């Protein structure tokens, strides 16, 4: 064996250890999140993508804001608005600018990997959380920018009964957030508890869309987030559970050599997602402009 081979074996061994640690951390975090979701209706997951991937996403969002400003429109509330007065009062209720786009949109190369990791999380949660058994679809990702200056979103429920949302997933992209900047997500749980979550870079939040009232506290600084809603089909929860399926994060082998293990790590979005192009493409599932089947949710 040449010393090059030995070096590469050594690197493979080191990377395998990193992959083990990363996977163990992720699995533990997801299992804690499933317990929190069952108990409180919400869960917070820090370091969701890994800081480099979260920063890449943040940079893509900033870029989109500059190059495609016209894609961003005021977020709508049920009270939204055709005339100016009503549009004004709608903006007081909800002050963000939002863009919806396909997860594969070439203008946001980092979005695909991020949404795929959210899909993996939700698939894992769906095995432990009763309310998620009927999840069949995911909305197109939404980029929300609260421009600062006191922009907020008043207390509301994402699915008060008129839509199919089951789980709200959010990822925050604000690196230099400080106490006093505002913009916290305030969650009201079933036992009367109130929790405030700061919108910090790479922090994900999930909550049950039908059950958890929440609001965005007035923000003094620009506040960026990506959100996705996981939705049930017409059959609702009756449709979903019970099928045995593999989970790529528990079943996936790390790989036989350094390159394959690196690919595994990229697939966990722990490194620059631009480098992970093509990894695990079979694990993707479509946005829902989108109808897709629950089989897709279970089969990656
Ligand atoms: O950005 C957040 O923290 C929550 C936004 C929200 O509640 C919504 O878009 O429905
Ligand atoms: Fe909401």
């Amino acid at each position: 064996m040449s010393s090059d081979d030995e070096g590469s074996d050594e690197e493979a061994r080191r990377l395998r250890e990193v992959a083990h640690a990363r996977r163990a951390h992720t699995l533990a975090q997801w299992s804690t999140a499933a317990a929190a979701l069952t108990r409180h209706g919400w869960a917070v997951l820090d370091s969701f993508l890994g800081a480099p991937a979260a920063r890449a996403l943040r940079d893509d969002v900033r870029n989109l804001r500059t190059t495609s400003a016209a894609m961003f429109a005021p977020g709508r509330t049920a009270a939204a608005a055709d005339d100016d007065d009503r549009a004004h009062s709608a903006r007081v209720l909800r002050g963000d600018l939002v863009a919806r786009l396909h997860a594969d949109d070439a203008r946001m190369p980092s979005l695909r990997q991020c949404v795929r990791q959210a899909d993996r999380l939700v698939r894992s949660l769906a095995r432990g959380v009763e309310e998620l058994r009927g999840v069949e679809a995911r909305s197109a990702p939404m980029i929300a920018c609260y421009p600062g200056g006191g922009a907020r979103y008043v207390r509301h429920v994402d699915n008060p009964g008129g839509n199919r949302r089951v789980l709200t997933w959010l990822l925050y992209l604000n690196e230099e957030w400080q106490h006093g900047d505002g913009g916290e997500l305030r969650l009201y749980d079933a036992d009367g508890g109130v929790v405030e979550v700061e919108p910090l870079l790479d922090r994900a939040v999930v909550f049950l869309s039908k059950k958890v009232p929440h609001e965005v506290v007035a923000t003094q600084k620009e506040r960026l987030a990506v959100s996705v809603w996981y939705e049930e089909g017409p059959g609702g929860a009756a449709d979903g559970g019970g099928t045995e399926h593999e989970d790529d994060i528990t079943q996936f082998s790390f790989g036989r050599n350094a390159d394959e293990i690196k690919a595994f790590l990229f697939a966990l979005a722990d490194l620059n997602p631009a480098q992970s192009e093509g990894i695990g493409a079979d694990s993707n599932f479509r946005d829902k402009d989108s109808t897709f089947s629950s089989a897709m949710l279970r089969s990656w």
Side-chain angles (χ1 to χ4, degrees):
M1 194 187 261
S2 76
S3 65
D4 270 5
D5 287 343
E6 278 163 29
S8 155
D9 279 356
E10 179 56 27
E11 195 194 359
R13 195 186 56 72
R14 192 183 59 75
L15 286 165
R16 196 170 283 120
E17 276 167 19
V18 174
H20 263 293
R22 173 75 191 168
R23 185 176 73 165
H25 171 267
T26 303
L27 289 174
Q29 187 189 46
W30 290 2
S31 132
T32 306
L37 205 52
T38 303
R39 189 148 178 210
H40 305 291
W42 54 267
V44 176
L45 300 96
D46 283 327
S47 305
F48 184 76
L49 296 178
R55 286 192 193 107
L57 190 63
R58 188 252 342 256
D59 293 347
D60 279 356
V61 169
R62 284 184 177 159
N63 205 22
L64 193 74
R65 288 271 292 137
T66 321
T67 58
S68 310
M71 286 182 70
F72 287 81
R76 291 169 63 100
T77 57
D82 1 30
D83 62 67
D84 281 354
D85 280 355
R86 290 180 63 198
H88 173 73
S89 49
R91 273 196 297 280
V92 174
L93 298 177
R94 175 175 184 179
D96 57 346
L97 292 165
V98 305
R100 289 188 173 76
L101 63 175
H102 195 278
D104 286 328
D105 195 305
R107 287 167 296 190
M108 281 215 46
S110 58
L111 190 59
R112 176 166 162 257
Q113 194 66 24
C114 162
V115 172
R116 184 177 302 163
Q117 186 72 344
D119 290 350
R120 290 190 187 107
L121 165 69
V122 174
R123 185 163 172 273
S124 156
L125 295 175
R127 278 186 277 121
V129 181
E130 190 62 37
E131 281 93 340
L132 305 187
R133 294 275 156 81
V135 168
E136 289 192 355
R138 117 156 95 59
S139 73
M142 183 182 91
I143 314 295
C145 170
Y146 290 75
R152 60 193 289 238
Y153 192 164
V154 295
R155 178 174 164 151
H156 65 281
V157 177
D158 285 353
N159 181 0
N163 62 58
R164 294 188 173 159
R165 293 170 173 181
V166 175
L167 187 79
T168 304
W169 173 90
L170 288 152
L171 184 74
Y172 298 117
L173 300 174
N174 310 292
E175 183 141 32
E176 266 127 43
W177 209 262
Q178 285 179 2
H179 193 64
D181 289 339
E184 293 86 357
L185 172 67
R186 188 176 284 161
L187 298 159
Y188 298 85
D189 77 26
D191 356 302
V194 180
V195 191
E196 289 199 347
V197 181
E198 293 184 326
L200 305 181
L201 182 85
D202 206 20
R203 169 173 281 174
V205 179
V206 283
F207 57 84
L208 298 175
S209 311
K210 297 179 192 177
K211 290 198 176 160
V212 180
H214 57 282
E215 69 182 277
V216 177
V217 174
T219 179
Q220 305 313 327
K221 249 170 72 175
E222 182 180 72
R223 175 194 192 271
L224 303 177
V226 179
S227 47
V228 168
W229 285 272
Y230 289 85
E231 305 183 351
E232 64 198 2
D239 230 0
T243 310
E244 279 303 313
H245 48 265
E246 289 184 348
D247 178 350
D248 68 275
I249 172 152
T250 52
Q251 307 290 328
F252 207 103
S253 82
F254 296 146
R256 290 153 300 184
N257 56 42
D259 284 346
E260 287 181 16
I261 300 166
K262 271 186 200 154
F264 170 80
L265 288 165
F266 292 151
L268 282 178
D270 201 25
L271 299 169
N272 183 355
Q275 297 165 12
S276 70
E277 213 44 48
I279 304 301
D282 57 337
S283 78
N284 204 7
F285 69 140
R286 277 181 289 135
D287 294 40
K288 146 201 166 227
D289 336 10
S290 107
T291 21
F292 53 69
S293 72
S294 50
M296 296 174 89
L297 182 63
R298 294 196 196 96
S299 64
W300 68 67

